[in-house]
Amino acid sequence: GATLFVWQIPHLLALAWMYRHEYARAGFKMISTEEPSGRLTTLLALLYSLALIPTAAAMAILGYAGWPFALVATVLGVGMVCLAMKFAATRSHVDARRLFLASILYLPLLSTALVLDARGPYDGMLRGEAGYSSAPVRGERFLDPAAAPNAADK
């Protein structure tokens, strides 16, 4: 959820910049129509693109994915940041479009990486007939409770 929230901001801001004149003619009040220099629009697109990196990396840190996913997420995030920096520097329609198209690619690529490297609550556990159990510690003996002497029998 957090990644999707952060992702939508540079996506929308690039789109808003490309169509700012149409939005203004239609009477929509948007950052790109109210602040025509584009400084705030591009700054926010850059900041939220930067936020994509730790947001996606948090999935690996929290154990929902592994380090291969974190690497892919970082590469994708750095790509978004580079395009957002170019957009911030030029404030051009072409660079807004590049950021917009990159944001369209970012989400399915990130999602695919997550699916391929997803981790779950049962990772590292053994599946048996009775369900999941932890892997035995080396040298640990199994003690059958039914075979143990009962204290009441003594």
Side-chain angles (χ1 to χ4, degrees), residues 52-53 56-57 59 67-79 106 110 113:
L52 284 170
I53 297 170
M59 287 190 267
W67 292 112
F69 168 80
L71 179 65
V72 170
T74 301
V75 169
L76 291 172
V78 167
Y106 175 89
L110 185 75

Side-chain angles (χ1 to χ4, degrees), residues 113-138:
L114 182 58
V115 166
L116 294 175
D117 193 36
R119 308 293 162 99
Y122 301 115
D123 281 7
M125 299 185 87
L126 302 174
R127 180 170 167 99
E129 291 178 15
Y132 289 94
S133 64
S134 299
V137 178
R138 187 179 181 124

Side-chain angles (χ1 to χ4, degrees), residues 83-99:
L83 290 170
M85 287 173 62
K86 180 86 162 107
F87 175 42
T90 65
R91 299 178 192 155
S92 72
H93 180 89
V94 170
D95 289 323
R97 183 171 173 78
R98 285 185 182 138
L99 179 60

Side-chain angles (χ1 to χ4, degrees), residues 4 19 23 57 65-66 79 100 112 122 125-126 129 139-140 145 150-152 154:
L4 189 57
Y19 296 105
Y23 285 130
F100 176 74
T112 300
Y122 301 115
M125 299 185 87
L126 302 174
E129 291 178 15
E140 179 181 292
N150 192 344
K154 289 186 179 183

